[in-house]
Amino acid sequence: MNAMQATVTKGPIYLDNQATTATDPRVVDAMLPYFTEIFGNAHSSGHAFGWQAEDAVEAARQKIADLIGAEQREIIFTSGATESNNLAIKGLARFNRARGDHLITTEIEHKCVLESFRRLEKEGFRVTYLAVKANGLIDLDALAAAIEERTLLVSVIGVHNEIGVIQPLADIAALCRRYGVQFHTDCAQAVGKTPLDVNQMQIDLLSISAHKMYGPMGIGALYVRRRPRVRLEPLFDGGGQERGLRSGTLPVPLCVGMGEAALIAGREMADESGRLTALRNRLLNAIRAQVADVQINGDLDRRVSGNLNLMFPHISGDDLVSGLKGLAISTGSACTSATIEPSYVLRALGLNEADAAASVRIGLGRFTTEAEIDKAGSMIVGEVLRLRGEGKTSASASAA
Ligand SMILES: *Cc1c(COP(=O)(O)O)cnc(C)c1O
């Protein structure tokens, strides 16, 4: 870990851990033998190469299940949370078409969720996109009011990728149960960061991404409840792997890496989240001491430890991000930052276009150090004041 931190501090400081996280070196170590030595196909049932690979995959599946309180056979490997979300949403709607045609989600979902629902609208389903409160949290009364006789599914993001807010998943799920509606949550940013138990919380479908929890890119999982059973139509046709829900050869090294990432996250989550909350508060206090009118987008208390989303009135977030060459932060999310319009998520919280465009996302992670936070804080303050045409002298004057 020390070696890792030393290499991180050499280049730009990485504070974009909601876009992706570095693969933990312990995860890489666990994966390596499965490229060269134990390279069998987990679906080859006729020889030891296949059995060893299968054992490794099943051990990894168990570790992922343990992290969210699920059973091993309820975990379906996919290529990432994008695929998991597509499979959960389209799969459930298409399988249950005869029972209903109405679906509910929120305006602040990840693009891959919103676009899955758009696709279903083209297939004849009706979708309600719920507005959220100004703090980014769902309004449970509005959700209850939106549920209809023919509602099949509610899908709500567990921890938000831009504003970090944690939704009241157990309350949402309880409401869904009461009305006999199934509940899916995109937990790409939640798993390994905040405690989750699919049984206590009564979640039916839950999407996971390995590269958001210090595992490798290119793999994820979908939790699919077995009791009461959740039925899905698969997206792919093929050999019927993953209980018929996801055909294709499993990437054994990636499965092993995701399992190891889940194991580490389960062990270290409590300590890590305490450490990151302290670092986040340290950064926030440093910025607030010198930039009086900074505002926090999204609820600060009901938020994952590694996220800050800040609005600096009168400046452009894009200018701030590009001005800070030694710091990797972002405006909005990585998946939509190719577009120039300000975040639809911040607009959904009620921010006007200028304020949405004046916002940046800061994502702390496992390898973020206190020294990096202190350096990042002074870099951000310096650049904000420079963009506003305020000098260092006026900054110290206003801070006094
Ligand atoms: C990153 C992310 C995704 C997409 O996950 P991939 O594994 O990259 O496909 C989906 N939802 C949220 C909230 C995310 O943060």
Side-chain angles (χ1 to χ4, degrees):
M1 187 114 123
N2 283 333
M4 181 78 192
Q5 288 172 350
T7 51
V8 168
T9 38
K10 260 187 233 155
I13 297 170
Y14 187 72
L15 289 181
D16 202 11
N17 282 279
Q18 272 88 54
T20 192
T21 55
T23 310
D24 192 302
R26 293 170 289 181
V27 168
V28 177
D29 286 345
M31 290 170 66
L32 285 176
Y34 292 91
F35 287 102
T36 48
E37 293 157 40
I38 315 165
F39 56 82
N41 183 325
H43 315 293
S44 301
S45 51
H47 52 68
F49 293 87
W51 305 331
Q52 271 188 297
E54 192 194 0
D55 286 350
V57 165
E58 295 315 314
R61 199 191 300 279
Q62 183 67 58
K63 290 171 189 164
I64 297 160
D66 288 345
L67 185 60
I68 60 167
E71 287 173 34
Q72 185 188 14
R73 56 193 182 152
E74 293 175 313
I75 301 296
I76 303 299
F77 282 112
T78 65
S79 61
T82 297
E83 186 187 332
S84 299
N85 288 335
N86 272 265
L87 175 57
I89 295 163
K90 294 177 187 170
L92 187 129
R94 289 171 182 165
F95 189 95
N96 293 288
R97 181 171 263 144
R99 291 202 303 115
D101 66 345
H102 181 242
L103 313 158
I104 301 173
T105 188
T106 78
E107 289 178 347
I108 61 165
E109 298 299 310
H110 192 273
K111 276 282 175 199
C112 65
V113 167
L114 291 175
E115 293 304 316
S116 292
F117 280 110
R118 294 270 180 242
R119 174 76 58 193
L120 290 171
E121 283 181 302
K122 290 185 189 134
E123 295 176 13
F125 289 92
R126 294 174 300 120
V127 181
T128 300
Y129 300 90
L130 288 175
V132 292
K133 298 186 277 190
N135 63 0
L137 292 169
I138 193 169
D139 179 341
L140 289 166
D141 294 332
L143 172 59
I147 296 176
E148 302 175 9
E149 185 75 31
R150 287 180 56 79
T151 305
L152 292 172
L153 176 73
V154 169
S155 179
V156 176
I157 185 166
V159 165
H160 201 274
N161 51 300
E162 287 185 43
I163 54 176
V165 299
I166 305 171
Q167 298 292 344
L169 295 181
D171 296 339
I172 298 169
L175 202 63
C176 291
R177 277 284 165 96
R178 197 176 321 143
Y179 291 100
V181 176
Q182 284 173 318
F183 177 47
H184 165 253
T185 175
D186 173 0
C187 278
Q189 300 282 349
V191 175
K193 317 282 173 62
T194 177
L196 290 167
D197 185 305
V198 289
N199 289 318
Q200 262 172 31
M201 299 170 118
Q202 299 189 304
I203 293 163
D204 296 309
L205 292 156
L206 183 150
S207 300
I208 316 176
S209 174
H211 77 95
K212 305 292 177 64
M213 49 184 277
Y214 310 97
M217 286 175 169
I219 185 158
L222 179 65
Y223 159 76
V224 184
R225 175 172 291 286
R226 284 184 68 87
R227 280 188 305 264
R229 183 137 180 232
V230 175
R231 309 290 303 271
L232 305 175
E233 187 179 294
L235 297 172
F236 306 158
D237 298 307
Q241 289 91 347
E242 298 298 275
R243 300 179 184 278
L245 289 177
R246 209 282 190 168
S247 287
T249 303
L250 283 172
V252 179
L254 300 181
C255 295
V256 168
M258 186 173 180
E260 191 65 18
L263 184 75
I264 296 169
R267 282 185 189 148
E268 299 181 1
M269 187 186 326
D271 286 349
E272 188 164 290
S273 124
R275 192 182 75 88
L276 291 182
T277 302
L279 284 183
R280 180 183 74 194
N281 292 343
R282 186 179 174 95
L283 178 62
L284 184 58
N285 292 338
I287 294 172
R288 273 173 163 168
Q290 294 171 83
V291 184
D293 55 354
V294 59
Q295 283 177 46
I296 300 162
N297 296 320
D299 197 275
L300 184 61
D301 297 323
R302 294 196 49 98
R303 179 185 295 253
V304 75
S305 56
N307 173 276
L308 263 185
N309 193 303
L310 298 178
M311 198 264 282
F312 297 97
H314 318 303
I315 66 152
S316 142
D318 281 324
D319 289 347
L320 182 57
V321 168
S322 54
L324 289 167
K325 292 277 178 274
L327 188 60
I329 59 172
S330 71
T331 58
S333 61
C335 23
T336 46
S337 57
T339 60
I340 41 164
E341 51 193 284
S343 158
Y344 64 92
V345 173
L346 299 179
R347 299 282 279 132
L349 302 193
L351 270 70
N352 64 35
E353 212 166 306
D355 286 349
S359 300
V360 294
R361 176 182 73 180
I362 303 170
L364 292 69
R366 181 172 292 166
F367 306 111
T368 305
T369 65
E370 193 173 277
E372 287 179 321
I373 285 299
D374 290 345
K375 197 167 164 201
S378 59
M379 287 165 83
I380 292 168
V381 168
E383 188 62 13
V384 168
L385 299 182
R386 195 188 68 78
L387 288 169
R388 285 182 180 169
E390 302 172 23
K392 270 265 182 246
T393 10
S394 68
S396 27
S398 65

